[in-house]
Amino acid sequence: MYLAPINADSLLLEAEKETLYLKLVEQLNKDFNLANEAIDFPMSISPNELKLQLHEKIYRLIQYKFAEYLNLLYIIDVSEEEIKKLDGSDLVILAEQVAFLILKREWQKVWFRNKYR
């Protein structure tokens, strides 16, 4: 049964445990490219580094390329309701929370694809 992770660390730990971490990285690369936001996480990237780079990328998108940021959320299919619940007063915290929502949605895609293929 699919249980949504409570934070990015538990999500990445679960992905590694299920041996689906590389699929998660692939899915992130694929969806970022679909949104025309060039990002190429190497397959050798550590979970911690992935989390940091994703956070940084989201921060930059929110700050400098907001339309592209919204497009990315649409392409990845991040819940609009979840985004609306976030407090946008601190951009660094917001970017971290959005990065987690992105990871959570991408993990959900990978998990279901693996479970029901």
Side-chain angles (χ1 to χ4, degrees):
M1 184 171 105
Y2 178 77
L3 293 173
I6 54 168
N7 60 39
D9 293 327
S10 67
L11 183 150
L12 294 167
L13 197 64
E14 178 74 14
E16 284 187 306
K17 195 175 83 179
E18 301 263 346
T19 62
L20 294 172
Y21 176 71
L22 294 180
K23 294 279 186 206
L24 179 62
V25 174
E26 279 176 14
Q27 186 67 45
L28 280 164
N29 285 335
K30 177 182 155 200
D31 284 346
F32 268 83
N33 287 325
L34 278 174
N36 291 322
E37 274 312 312
I39 199 163
D40 192 21
F41 295 118
M43 295 315 247
S44 58
I45 193 167
S46 73
N48 208 38
E49 190 61 29
L50 176 71
K51 191 173 71 169
L52 289 172
Q53 284 186 27
L54 181 60
H55 176 232
E56 199 173 291
K57 177 70 172 181
I58 298 306
Y59 178 81
R60 283 204 199 104
L61 284 173
I62 292 171
Q63 196 159 27
Y64 303 114
K65 296 167 81 178
F66 197 74
E68 290 85 348
Y69 159 74
L70 294 176
N71 185 51
L72 176 70
L73 295 179
Y74 177 77
I75 297 280
I76 293 174
D77 191 28
V78 175
S79 165
E80 193 176 331
E81 298 226 343
E82 294 277 334
I83 294 290
K84 285 180 179 178
K85 288 180 192 172
L86 302 177
D87 174 17
S89 60
D90 184 332
L91 201 57
V92 173
I93 293 171
L94 176 66
E96 185 178 4
Q97 292 170 333
V98 170
F100 171 59
L101 291 178
I102 287 171
L103 276 174
K104 195 161 79 167
R105 179 64 182 120
E106 298 289 47
W107 170 240
Q108 189 180 38
K109 292 178 191 177
V110 167
W111 190 90
F112 277 105
R113 196 171 297 129
N114 182 66
K115 179 85 173 163
Y116 299 106
R117 63 183 149 130

